Amino acid sequence: MNFDYAKDSKEQRPFEYYFKKYQGMDPAEISERTGIPYDEENRYFILRLMGSTYEISYPEYEIRHREDAVGSYPLETAMNAKILALRYLVEGNRAPSAGEYLTYREVPWGEFYFRNFQGRCLARLAFGYGTKITRFQEIMEHLGANKLDLGDASYEFEFMNDLFVRFILWEGDEEFPPSSQILFSDNFPIAFSAEDMAVVGDISIGLLKTLEKQL
């Protein structure tokens, strides 16, 4: 694995820590625990993220997307996405969803980290797209997200294998600014911590911003 970021990066140490653990683990155990399929013959995991399918090699942790129409692949380019996926492979656990959705405040430690999440994700989503509803819809349709009947515009998408997120927008007017809500499928707290779930928001909104420039 080639580290393509500065040696003083705050992401270097956590990445190297989890990468070392990943190299020493049994891929069959990882697959059983996380539900991420593993191709034994070709030695890679098959992970879905934001509408695209990736092959993640073991033990090298080299990442390659399978060709599709999305056009942007954060798991190959964004270090926060690489670390998040690596953490899930090393520490995550799968659990079936009961079909319910949670606000960030409802997840363990969500209330404690909510102020950070509000500025980092909710405000960014609201002020990024609350006045550009049509553009938001175009991007979400491009990702293959499922349209919902919530707020002024809303979509559900699979963030990672069997872990779903809902983005809901309310358009602003002369009296009120735009607002947003982000909901997580109820199996998210088994897979990720509250801190990681804020990164999920970061990655998801970051992909929308990238696609907005490309479409």
Side-chain angles (χ1 to χ4, degrees):
M1 180 72 191
N2 294 321
F3 299 110
D4 56 353
Y5 50 95
K7 286 298 181 183
D8 61 349
S9 169
K10 66 180 181 180
E11 296 171 323
Q12 178 187 9
R13 189 164 294 177
F15 185 92
E16 290 180 340
Y17 171 78
Y18 289 107
F19 178 54
K20 185 175 181 179
K21 291 191 71 173
Y22 174 76
Q23 289 185 303
M25 298 180 76
D26 176 1
E29 185 278 329
I30 293 174
S31 181
E32 175 66 24
R33 173 172 42 79
T34 64
I36 305 296
Y38 180 67
D39 184 321
E40 292 186 14
E41 181 178 354
N42 295 298
R43 298 182 65 82
Y44 59 67
F45 293 96
I46 303 168
L47 186 143
R48 300 186 301 274
L49 186 104
M50 293 289 291
S52 296
T53 299
Y54 296 85
E55 297 170 358
I56 302 177
S57 69
Y58 175 85
E60 302 86 2
Y61 199 68
E62 298 290 348
I63 302 168
R64 180 180 63 185
H65 73 273
R66 292 180 177 176
E67 286 302 316
D68 59 34
V70 173
S72 184
Y73 306 98
L75 199 54
E76 291 179 338
T77 59
M79 186 53 67
N80 62 348
K82 291 181 181 181
I83 293 174
L84 186 75
L86 184 56
R87 277 172 54 85
Y88 184 62
L89 291 170
V90 171
E91 296 182 343
N93 291 279
R94 67 173 172 179
S97 170
E100 300 296 325
Y101 279 78
L102 306 171
T103 66
Y104 189 78
R105 277 180 153 153
E106 292 177 298
V107 306
W109 290 93
E111 188 68 45
F112 181 81
Y113 291 110
F114 178 74
R115 191 168 184 177
N116 174 271
F117 179 78
Q118 186 175 39
R120 188 173 170 182
C121 299
L122 294 178
R124 189 176 171 208
L125 180 61
F127 289 97
Y129 295 101
T131 58
K132 297 184 291 185
I133 295 290
T134 299
R135 193 68 173 132
F136 171 74
Q137 292 171 324
E138 290 172 353
I139 297 166
M140 297 307 291
E141 295 287 343
H142 176 77
L143 283 170
N146 295 320
K147 188 175 182 180
L148 304 173
D149 294 321
L150 302 170
D152 292 319
S154 54
Y155 286 85
E156 176 183 286
F157 58 91
E158 185 182 47
F159 176 76
M160 192 182 285
N161 300 45
D162 301 319
L163 294 162
F164 292 84
V165 175
R166 288 179 174 180
F167 278 178
I168 307 170
L169 281 174
W170 288 268
E171 196 168 14
D173 56 29
E174 294 181 358
E175 293 186 38
F176 300 100
S179 61
S180 73
Q181 181 60 278
I182 298 175
L183 303 178
F184 300 88
S185 57
D186 56 11
N187 54 347
F188 248 96
I190 305 298
F192 292 114
S193 68
E195 291 176 277
D196 286 334
M197 289 167 68
V199 179
V200 169
D202 270 343
I203 295 166
S204 303
I205 298 168
L207 180 56
L208 267 60
K209 294 288 187 181
T210 299
L211 291 175
E212 184 178 5
K213 298 174 183 176
Q214 296 179 356
L215 298 180

